[in-house]
Amino acid sequence: MSDLDAAAVSELSERARKLDAADELAYLRDRFVLDDTVYLDGNSLGALPAHVPDRVADVVRREWGELRIRSWEESGWWTAPERIGDRIAPLVGAAPGQIVVGDSTSVNVFKALVAAVRLAREGGPAGAGRDEIVVDASTFPTDGYIAESAARLTGCTLRPVLPAEVPGVLGERTAAVLLNHVDYRTGRLHDLPSLTAAVHAAGAVAVWDLCHSAGALPVGLDEHDVDLAVGCTYKYLNGGPGSPAYLYVRRELQSRFDSPLPGWNSHAEPFGMRSEYAPAEGAVRGRVGTPDILSMLALEAALDVWDGVSVDAVRAKSLALTDFFLECVREYVPEGRVVPVTPVAHAERGSQVALRCGDAGEVMRRLIARGVVGDYRAPDILRFGFTPLYVGFADVERAARVLAETLRES
Ligand SMILES: Cc1ncc(COP(=O)(O)O)c(C=O)c1O
């Protein structure tokens, strides 16, 4: 058993109870399938919304099983990528008609980055000389790998720098800049408005990866003039394992968006079966091939949980949850045993808390065995994601308490 300070446990448990009682989003937890584990891994795979299995069963049994090919039209399969894009749009601050759903984030990073270089090179000799892609040096690896390949294909040099150093390296050679809104490892939130403005001031094109921010905090794509953005839907958007990603193309850029993967789904007349390619108008240009309908319609159903939910309220609760977790960790965990690497400042914090811990892999294994599910990122990071739609303050207190107990044993 723990030898935690009983008074501290009692005080923080009571605070958690009051915070849960006052939580205006608490009712949303019932929209998900959860058990008595504390699930703090929604930043990796979001929980299952309770109504999704029935919807998927209907898609399989009726739309596929009975209507078969008719469903492309009658069940709206063909237009699902744009329709679901419009459901995601308000969650990332985009007006309709700018997001298309499909493919993985990795594939969308490729489309966006190559298209960004092509956009930057328009407009005469000044544009043509742009031969550098700047990438976040601390990025989730796939973005870095894809950026390296995009650079080779476009004859650019890849320049990996930390986000804080980006303004200092921008110049007339910069074509495109690929940044993560929230760092997957540390949970640091980068300054999207000012970095985007700096990229534009240099005449370059900004591409943002929203995997760890969409559904957890306001993004403001339109408001901040973001050019292109990508993101996954299986984290805070709860779309399910491997659910399709999305691509945002700002309206003013759509007519010039030149996809490096111009599949037939992005053709102006896909059923014209023409040998010459002519791109469709609008965000549809970001489509490639036949959409993965089962995953896509599971995602569409999952987005129902957002009906009536404000992203600002989600952000407020996310900050309250992460504040409370940091406080409980400070109170319970033996001094020096873990070091928070997530910024304390709200303006720099996403919806996760990362703790540096020597034996992080083993500690997380034991935490999971005790019903507190976070994850571990090599070499030494314990990651705890807080999905405001279904995580409560009692969960937070319990996670910190079990973490402290686990650490005291080792
Ligand atoms: C920032 C970021 N980009 C991309 C990905 C993964 O992309 P994909 O959906 O292609 O696997 C992740 C996955 O966790 C991520 O955190």
Side-chain angles (χ1 to χ4, degrees):
M1 268 309 287
S2 93
D3 52 359
L4 295 177
D5 177 350
V9 172
S10 153
E11 197 266 314
L12 289 170
S13 305
E14 180 54 17
R15 283 253 307 284
R17 199 190 57 72
K18 287 188 179 148
L19 286 164
D20 278 329
D23 174 13
E24 61 180 81
L25 300 182
Y27 72 99
L28 292 167
R29 189 183 175 102
D30 286 346
R31 295 187 183 177
F32 291 88
V33 177
L34 292 162
D35 52 24
D36 64 355
T37 57
V38 176
Y39 191 64
L40 302 181
D41 215 2
N43 55 336
S44 201
L45 176 65
L48 170 66
H51 64 288
V52 167
D54 284 349
R55 173 66 184 128
V56 171
D58 182 58
V59 172
V60 173
R61 294 220 167 85
R62 189 179 56 81
E63 296 186 3
W64 177 15
E66 295 171 24
L67 297 177
R68 293 178 286 270
I69 196 86
R70 288 164 54 191
S71 273
W72 282 107
E73 279 225 9
E74 290 175 30
S75 305
W77 287 359
W78 183 259
T79 49
E82 302 89 81
R83 182 176 73 243
I84 304 171
D86 283 348
R87 295 282 305 277
I88 293 172
L91 304 177
V92 290
Q98 300 175 100
I99 295 184
V100 74
V101 173
D103 310 311
S104 63
T105 310
S106 306
V107 172
N108 283 302
V109 166
F110 177 76
K111 290 183 227 171
L113 208 46
V114 174
V117 173
R118 291 176 176 175
L119 279 167
R121 284 181 171 165
E122 286 177 351
R130 295 186 179 273
D131 64 355
E132 242 176 42
I133 294 177
V134 175
V135 66
D136 176 352
S138 54
T139 187
F140 185 85
T142 206
D143 298 47
Y145 306 153
I146 302 269
E148 198 275 330
S149 176
R152 259 189 299 135
L153 282 166
T154 54
C156 284
T157 306
L158 188 66
R159 190 153 183 188
V161 297
L162 292 174
E165 294 159 5
V166 164
V169 303
L170 299 172
E172 53 193 30
R173 290 185 59 180
T174 317
V177 181
L178 172 63
L179 292 163
N180 287 246
H181 196 193
V182 172
D183 185 287
Y184 78 102
R185 198 192 301 263
T186 63
R188 176 180 290 275
L189 170 63
H190 296 300
D191 189 343
L192 178 145
S194 82
L195 286 166
T196 303
V199 172
H200 288 166
V205 177
V207 181
W208 284 92
D209 180 332
L210 310 178
C211 281
H212 287 272
S213 58
L217 51 96
V219 178
L221 289 178
D222 287 353
E223 181 187 349
H224 304 303
D225 281 338
V226 167
D227 300 303
L228 303 167
V230 302
C232 71
T233 60
Y234 45 72
K235 301 181 193 291
Y236 296 103
L237 299 179
N238 311 300
S243 56
Y246 56 91
L247 170 68
Y248 164 89
V249 182
R250 182 152 62 91
R251 192 177 312 282
E252 302 87 85
L253 300 179
Q254 289 173 355
S255 62
R256 291 152 53 213
F257 181 83
D258 181 5
S259 173
L261 294 173
W264 73 292
N265 275 224
S266 70
H267 196 283
E269 228 190 311
F271 293 96
M273 301 299 159
R274 302 186 186 286
S275 48
E276 320 78 48
Y277 180 72
E281 294 300 321
V284 179
R285 260 183 208 207
R287 285 177 65 161
V288 183
T290 307
D292 37 5
I293 290 299
L294 299 185
S295 293
M296 203 166 281
L297 298 189
L299 164 64
E300 182 173 37
L303 292 168
D304 289 349
V305 298
W306 288 92
D307 289 351
V309 177
S310 111
V311 178
D312 287 334
V314 164
R315 173 61 168 163
K317 180 172 173 188
S318 157
L319 289 171
L321 288 168
T322 49
D323 274 345
F324 190 54
F325 184 65
L326 286 166
E327 181 181 347
C328 292
V329 167
R330 266 196 312 276
E331 195 61 52
Y332 291 158
V333 173
E335 182 84 34
R337 193 66 179 76
V338 296
V339 179
V341 296
T342 303
V344 172
H346 284 179
E348 296 175 4
R349 193 193 305 161
S351 199
Q352 77 178 50
V353 171
L355 304 174
R356 182 158 284 133
C357 172
D359 42 357
E362 175 58 17
V363 169
M364 185 50 73
R365 200 185 57 71
R366 287 208 246 143
L367 273 177
I368 292 171
R370 287 164 156 228
V372 173
V373 180
D375 61 24
Y376 153 72
R377 286 291 173 269
D380 58 359
I381 295 290
L382 295 170
R383 259 189 359 164
F384 300 94
F386 297 85
T387 303
L389 300 184
Y390 53 75
V391 173
F393 293 88
D395 294 325
V396 168
E397 188 277 334
R398 182 174 146 206
R401 182 160 33 86
V402 173
L403 172 63
E405 289 167 358
T406 305
L407 291 170
R408 273 164 200 260
E409 281 170 9
S410 52

